[in-house]
CSV table of all heavy atoms in Angstrom, one decimal:
chain,number,residue,atom,x,y,z
A,436,MET,N,-76.1,29.8,49.0
A,436,MET,CA,-76.8,28.5,48.8
A,436,MET,C,-78.2,28.6,49.4
A,436,MET,O,-79.1,28.0,48.8
A,436,MET,CB,-76.1,27.4,49.5
A,436,MET,CG,-74.7,27.1,48.8
A,436,MET,SD,-73.9,25.7,49.6
A,436,MET,CE,-75.0,24.2,49.0
A,437,LEU,N,-78.4,29.3,50.5
A,437,LEU,CA,-79.7,29.4,51.1
A,437,LEU,C,-80.1,30.8,51.4
A,437,LEU,O,-79.2,31.7,51.8
A,437,LEU,CB,-79.8,28.7,52.4
A,437,LEU,CG,-79.5,27.1,52.4
A,437,LEU,CD1,-79.5,26.5,53.8
A,437,LEU,CD2,-80.5,26.5,51.5
A,438,THR,N,-81.3,31.2,51.2
A,438,THR,CA,-81.8,32.6,51.5
A,438,THR,C,-82.0,32.7,53.0
A,438,THR,O,-82.1,31.7,53.7
A,438,THR,CB,-83.1,32.9,50.7
A,438,THR,OG1,-84.1,32.0,51.1
A,438,THR,CG2,-82.8,32.7,49.2
A,439,TRP,N,-82.2,33.9,53.5
A,439,TRP,CA,-82.5,34.1,54.9
A,439,TRP,C,-83.8,33.4,55.3
A,439,TRP,O,-83.8,32.8,56.3
A,439,TRP,CB,-82.5,35.5,55.2
A,439,TRP,CG,-81.2,36.0,55.6
A,439,TRP,CD1,-80.3,36.8,54.9
A,439,TRP,CD2,-80.5,35.8,57.0
A,439,TRP,NE1,-79.2,37.0,55.6
A,439,TRP,CE2,-79.3,36.5,56.9
A,439,TRP,CE3,-80.9,35.2,58.1
A,439,TRP,CZ2,-78.4,36.5,57.9
A,439,TRP,CZ3,-80.0,35.2,59.2
A,439,TRP,CH2,-78.8,35.8,59.1
A,440,PRO,N,-84.9,33.5,54.5
A,440,PRO,CA,-86.1,32.8,55.0
A,440,PRO,C,-85.9,31.2,55.0
A,440,PRO,O,-86.4,30.6,55.9
A,440,PRO,CB,-87.1,33.1,53.9
A,440,PRO,CG,-86.7,34.5,53.4
A,440,PRO,CD,-85.2,34.5,53.4
A,441,GLU,N,-85.1,30.7,54.1
A,441,GLU,CA,-84.9,29.2,54.1
A,441,GLU,C,-84.0,28.8,55.3
A,441,GLU,O,-84.2,27.9,55.9
A,441,GLU,CB,-84.1,28.9,52.8
A,441,GLU,CG,-85.0,28.9,51.6
A,441,GLU,CD,-84.2,28.9,50.2
A,441,GLU,OE1,-83.1,29.1,50.2
A,441,GLU,OE2,-84.9,28.5,49.2
A,442,LYS,N,-83.1,29.8,55.7
A,442,LYS,CA,-82.2,29.6,56.9
A,442,LYS,C,-83.1,29.5,58.1
A,442,LYS,O,-82.9,28.6,59.0
A,442,LYS,CB,-81.2,30.5,57.0
A,442,LYS,CG,-80.1,30.6,55.9
A,442,LYS,CD,-79.1,31.7,56.1
A,442,LYS,CE,-78.1,31.8,55.0
A,442,LYS,NZ,-77.1,32.9,55.3
A,443,VAL,N,-84.0,30.5,58.2
A,443,VAL,CA,-84.9,30.5,59.4
A,443,VAL,C,-85.7,29.3,59.5
A,443,VAL,O,-85.9,28.7,60.5
A,443,VAL,CB,-85.8,31.8,59.3
A,443,VAL,CG1,-86.8,31.8,60.5
A,443,VAL,CG2,-84.9,33.0,59.5
A,444,LYS,N,-86.4,28.8,58.3
A,444,LYS,CA,-87.2,27.7,58.4
A,444,LYS,C,-86.4,26.4,58.7
A,444,LYS,O,-86.9,25.5,59.4
A,444,LYS,CB,-87.9,27.5,57.1
A,444,LYS,CG,-89.0,28.5,56.8
A,444,LYS,CD,-89.6,28.3,55.4
A,444,LYS,CE,-90.7,29.4,55.1
A,444,LYS,NZ,-91.3,29.2,53.8
A,445,PHE,N,-85.2,26.4,58.2
A,445,PHE,CA,-84.2,25.3,58.5
A,445,PHE,C,-83.9,25.2,60.0
A,445,PHE,O,-83.9,24.2,60.6
A,445,PHE,CB,-83.0,25.4,57.7
A,445,PHE,CG,-82.1,24.2,57.7
A,445,PHE,CD1,-82.5,22.9,58.1
A,445,PHE,CD2,-80.7,24.3,57.4
A,445,PHE,CE1,-81.6,21.9,58.2
A,445,PHE,CE2,-79.8,23.3,57.5
A,445,PHE,CZ,-80.3,22.1,57.9
A,446,ALA,N,-83.6,26.4,60.5
A,446,ALA,CA,-83.3,26.5,61.9
A,446,ALA,C,-84.5,26.0,62.8
A,446,ALA,O,-84.2,25.3,63.8
A,446,ALA,CB,-82.9,27.9,62.3
A,447,PHE,N,-85.6,26.5,62.5
A,447,PHE,CA,-86.8,26.1,63.3
A,447,PHE,C,-87.1,24.6,63.1
A,447,PHE,O,-87.5,24.0,64.1
A,447,PHE,CB,-88.0,27.0,63.0
A,447,PHE,CG,-88.1,28.3,63.6
A,447,PHE,CD1,-87.8,29.4,62.9
A,447,PHE,CD2,-88.4,28.3,65.0
A,447,PHE,CE1,-87.7,30.7,63.6
A,447,PHE,CE2,-88.4,29.6,65.6
A,447,PHE,CZ,-88.1,30.8,64.9
A,448,GLY,N,-86.8,24.1,62.0
A,448,GLY,CA,-86.9,22.7,61.8
A,448,GLY,C,-86.0,21.8,62.7
A,448,GLY,O,-86.3,20.8,63.1
A,449,LEU,N,-84.8,22.4,62.9
A,449,LEU,CA,-83.8,21.7,63.8
A,449,LEU,C,-84.0,22.0,65.2
A,449,LEU,O,-83.3,21.3,66.0
A,449,LEU,CB,-82.4,22.2,63.3
A,449,LEU,CG,-81.9,21.6,62.0
A,449,LEU,CD1,-80.6,22.3,61.7
A,449,LEU,CD2,-81.7,20.2,61.9
A,450,LEU,N,-84.9,22.9,65.6
A,450,LEU,CA,-85.0,23.2,67.0
A,450,LEU,C,-85.3,21.9,67.9
A,450,LEU,O,-84.7,21.8,69.0
A,450,LEU,CB,-86.1,24.2,67.2
A,450,LEU,CG,-85.8,25.7,67.1
A,450,LEU,CD1,-86.9,26.6,67.3
A,450,LEU,CD2,-84.7,26.0,68.2
A,451,PRO,N,-86.3,21.1,67.5
A,451,PRO,CA,-86.5,19.9,68.3
A,451,PRO,C,-85.3,19.0,68.6
A,451,PRO,O,-85.0,18.5,69.7
A,451,PRO,CB,-87.5,19.1,67.6
A,451,PRO,CG,-88.2,20.1,66.7
A,451,PRO,CD,-87.1,21.1,66.3
A,452,ALA,N,-84.3,18.9,67.6
A,452,ALA,CA,-83.1,18.2,67.8
A,452,ALA,C,-82.2,18.9,68.6
A,452,ALA,O,-81.5,18.3,69.5
A,452,ALA,CB,-82.4,17.9,66.4
A,453,MET,N,-82.1,20.2,68.6
A,453,MET,CA,-81.2,21.0,69.5
A,453,MET,C,-81.7,20.9,70.9
A,453,MET,O,-80.9,20.8,71.8
A,453,MET,CB,-81.2,22.5,69.0
A,453,MET,CG,-80.7,22.8,67.6
A,453,MET,SD,-80.9,24.5,67.2
A,453,MET,CE,-80.4,24.4,65.5
A,454,VAL,N,-83.0,21.0,71.1
A,454,VAL,CA,-83.5,20.9,72.5
A,454,VAL,C,-83.6,19.5,73.0
A,454,VAL,O,-83.3,19.3,74.2
A,454,VAL,CB,-84.9,21.7,72.5
A,454,VAL,CG1,-85.5,21.5,73.9
A,454,VAL,CG2,-84.8,23.1,72.1
A,455,GLY,N,-84.1,18.6,72.2
A,455,GLY,CA,-84.3,17.2,72.6
A,455,GLY,C,-83.1,16.5,72.8
A,455,GLY,O,-83.1,15.4,73.5
A,456,GLY,N,-82.0,16.8,72.0
A,456,GLY,CA,-80.8,16.1,72.1
A,456,GLY,C,-80.9,14.6,71.6
A,456,GLY,O,-81.6,14.3,70.7
A,457,GLN,N,-80.1,13.7,72.2
A,457,GLN,CA,-79.9,12.4,71.7
A,457,GLN,C,-81.2,11.5,71.6
A,457,GLN,O,-81.4,10.9,70.7
A,457,GLN,CB,-78.9,11.6,72.5
A,457,GLN,CG,-78.4,10.3,71.9
A,457,GLN,CD,-77.8,10.5,70.5
A,457,GLN,OE1,-77.2,11.5,70.2
A,457,GLN,NE2,-77.8,9.5,69.7
A,458,PRO,N,-82.1,11.7,72.7
A,458,PRO,CA,-83.4,11.0,72.6
A,458,PRO,C,-84.2,11.3,71.4
A,458,PRO,O,-84.8,10.4,70.7
A,458,PRO,CB,-84.1,11.3,73.9
A,458,PRO,CG,-83.0,11.6,74.8
A,458,PRO,CD,-81.9,12.3,74.0
A,459,TYR,N,-84.2,12.6,71.0
A,459,TYR,CA,-84.9,13.0,69.8
A,459,TYR,C,-84.3,12.4,68.5
A,459,TYR,O,-85.0,12.0,67.6
A,459,TYR,CB,-85.0,14.5,69.7
A,459,TYR,CG,-85.7,15.0,68.5
A,459,TYR,CD1,-87.0,15.2,68.4
A,459,TYR,CD2,-84.9,15.3,67.3
A,459,TYR,CE1,-87.6,15.6,67.2
A,459,TYR,CE2,-85.4,15.8,66.1
A,459,TYR,CZ,-86.8,15.9,66.1
A,459,TYR,OH,-87.4,16.3,64.9
A,460,VAL,N,-82.9,12.5,68.5
A,460,VAL,CA,-82.2,12.0,67.3
A,460,VAL,C,-82.5,10.6,67.1
A,460,VAL,O,-82.8,10.1,66.0
A,460,VAL,CB,-80.7,12.2,67.6
A,460,VAL,CG1,-79.9,11.5,66.5
A,460,VAL,CG2,-80.3,13.7,67.5
A,461,GLU,N,-82.4,9.7,68.1
A,461,GLU,CA,-82.7,8.3,68.0
A,461,GLU,C,-84.1,8.0,67.6
A,461,GLU,O,-84.4,7.1,66.9
A,461,GLU,CB,-82.4,7.6,69.3
A,461,GLU,CG,-80.9,7.7,69.7
A,461,GLU,CD,-80.6,7.0,71.1
A,461,GLU,OE1,-81.6,6.7,71.8
A,461,GLU,OE2,-79.4,7.0,71.5
A,462,ALA,N,-85.0,8.8,68.0
A,462,ALA,CA,-86.5,8.7,67.6
A,462,ALA,C,-86.7,8.9,66.2
A,462,ALA,O,-87.8,8.5,65.6
A,462,ALA,CB,-87.3,9.5,68.5
A,463,GLN,N,-85.8,9.6,65.4
A,463,GLN,CA,-86.0,9.9,64.0
A,463,GLN,C,-85.5,8.8,63.1
A,463,GLN,O,-85.5,8.9,61.9
A,463,GLN,CB,-85.3,11.2,63.6
A,463,GLN,CG,-85.6,12.3,64.5
A,463,GLN,CD,-87.1,12.5,64.8
A,463,GLN,OE1,-87.9,12.6,63.9
A,463,GLN,NE2,-87.5,12.5,66.1
A,464,ASP,N,-85.0,7.6,63.7
A,464,ASP,CA,-84.5,6.6,62.8
A,464,ASP,C,-85.5,6.0,61.8
A,464,ASP,O,-85.1,5.5,60.8
A,464,ASP,CB,-84.1,5.4,63.7
A,464,ASP,CG,-83.3,4.4,63.0
A,464,ASP,OD1,-82.5,4.8,62.1
A,464,ASP,OD2,-83.4,3.2,63.3
A,465,GLY,N,-86.8,6.1,62.1
A,465,GLY,CA,-87.8,5.6,61.2
A,465,GLY,C,-88.2,6.5,60.1
A,465,GLY,O,-89.0,6.1,59.1
A,466,LEU,N,-87.6,7.7,60.0
A,466,LEU,CA,-87.9,8.7,59.0
A,466,LEU,C,-86.7,8.9,58.0
A,466,LEU,O,-85.6,9.0,58.5
A,466,LEU,CB,-88.3,10.0,59.7
A,466,LEU,CG,-89.6,10.1,60.5
A,466,LEU,CD1,-89.7,11.5,61.0
A,466,LEU,CD2,-90.8,9.7,59.6
A,467,THR,N,-87.0,9.0,56.8
A,467,THR,CA,-85.9,9.4,55.9
A,467,THR,C,-85.8,10.9,55.9
A,467,THR,O,-86.6,11.6,56.6
A,467,THR,CB,-86.3,9.0,54.4
A,467,THR,OG1,-87.5,9.7,54.0
A,467,THR,CG2,-86.6,7.5,54.3
A,468,ILE,N,-84.7,11.3,55.3
A,468,ILE,CA,-84.4,12.8,55.3
A,468,ILE,C,-85.7,13.6,54.7
A,468,ILE,O,-86.1,14.6,55.2
A,468,ILE,CB,-83.1,13.1,54.6
A,468,ILE,CG1,-82.0,12.5,55.3
A,468,ILE,CG2,-83.0,14.6,54.5
A,468,ILE,CD1,-80.7,12.5,54.5
A,469,SER,N,-86.1,13.0,53.6
A,469,SER,CA,-87.2,13.6,52.8
A,469,SER,C,-88.5,13.7,53.7
A,469,SER,O,-89.2,14.7,53.7
A,469,SER,CB,-87.5,13.0,51.5
A,469,SER,OG,-86.3,12.9,50.7
A,470,GLU,N,-88.8,12.6,54.3
A,470,GLU,CA,-90.0,12.5,55.2
A,470,GLU,C,-89.9,13.5,56.4
A,470,GLU,O,-90.8,14.2,56.8
A,470,GLU,CB,-90.2,11.1,55.7
A,470,GLU,CG,-90.5,10.1,54.6
A,470,GLU,CD,-90.5,8.7,55.1
A,470,GLU,OE1,-89.9,8.4,56.2
A,470,GLU,OE2,-91.2,7.8,54.5
A,471,TRP,N,-88.6,13.5,57.0
A,471,TRP,CA,-88.5,14.5,58.1
A,471,TRP,C,-88.6,15.9,57.7
A,471,TRP,O,-89.2,16.7,58.4
A,471,TRP,CB,-87.0,14.2,58.7
A,471,TRP,CG,-86.7,15.2,59.8
A,471,TRP,CD1,-87.0,14.9,61.2
A,471,TRP,CD2,-86.1,16.4,59.8
A,471,TRP,NE1,-86.5,16.0,62.0
A,471,TRP,CE2,-86.0,16.9,61.2
A,471,TRP,CE3,-85.6,17.2,58.8
A,471,TRP,CZ2,-85.3,18.1,61.5
A,471,TRP,CZ3,-85.0,18.4,59.1
A,471,TRP,CH2,-84.9,18.8,60.4
A,472,MET,N,-88.0,16.3,56.5
A,472,MET,CA,-88.1,17.7,56.0
A,472,MET,C,-89.6,18.1,55.8
A,472,MET,O,-90.0,19.2,56.2
A,472,MET,CB,-87.4,17.8,54.7
A,472,MET,CG,-85.9,17.7,54.9
A,472,MET,SD,-85.0,18.0,53.3
A,472,MET,CE,-85.8,19.4,52.7
A,473,LYS,N,-90.4,17.3,55.3
A,473,LYS,CA,-91.9,17.6,55.1
A,473,LYS,C,-92.5,17.7,56.5
A,473,LYS,O,-93.3,18.6,56.7
A,473,LYS,CB,-92.5,16.4,54.3
A,473,LYS,CG,-92.1,16.4,52.8
A,473,LYS,CD,-92.9,15.3,52.0
A,473,LYS,CE,-92.4,15.2,50.6
A,473,LYS,NZ,-93.0,14.1,49.9
A,474,LYS,N,-92.2,16.8,57.4
A,474,LYS,CA,-92.8,16.9,58.7
A,474,LYS,C,-92.4,18.2,59.4
A,474,LYS,O,-93.3,18.8,60.1
A,474,LYS,CB,-92.3,15.8,59.5
A,474,LYS,CG,-92.8,15.7,61.0
A,474,LYS,CD,-92.2,14.5,61.7
A,474,LYS,CE,-92.6,14.6,63.3
A,474,LYS,NZ,-91.9,13.5,64.0
A,475,GLN,N,-91.2,18.7,59.2
A,475,GLN,CA,-90.7,19.8,59.9
A,475,GLN,C,-90.9,21.2,59.1
A,475,GLN,O,-90.6,22.3,59.6
A,475,GLN,CB,-89.3,19.7,60.2
A,475,GLN,CG,-88.8,18.6,61.2
A,475,GLN,CD,-89.5,18.7,62.6
A,475,GLN,OE1,-90.5,17.9,62.9
A,475,GLN,NE2,-89.2,19.8,63.3
Side-chain angles (χ1 to χ4, degrees):
M436 295 185 68
L437 299 177
T438 64
W439 270 100
E441 289 168 341
K442 291 178 185 179
V443 172
K444 291 180 180 179
F445 186 23
F447 277 105
L449 288 174
L450 274 178
M453 298 176 189
V454 176
Q457 192 63 24
Y459 175 86
V460 172
E461 294 176 357
Q463 308 313 302
D464 188 38
L466 294 176
T467 66
I468 298 172
S469 301
E470 292 170 341
W471 179 89
M472 287 181 55
K473 291 180 181 179
K474 177 183 175 183
Q475 297 300 114

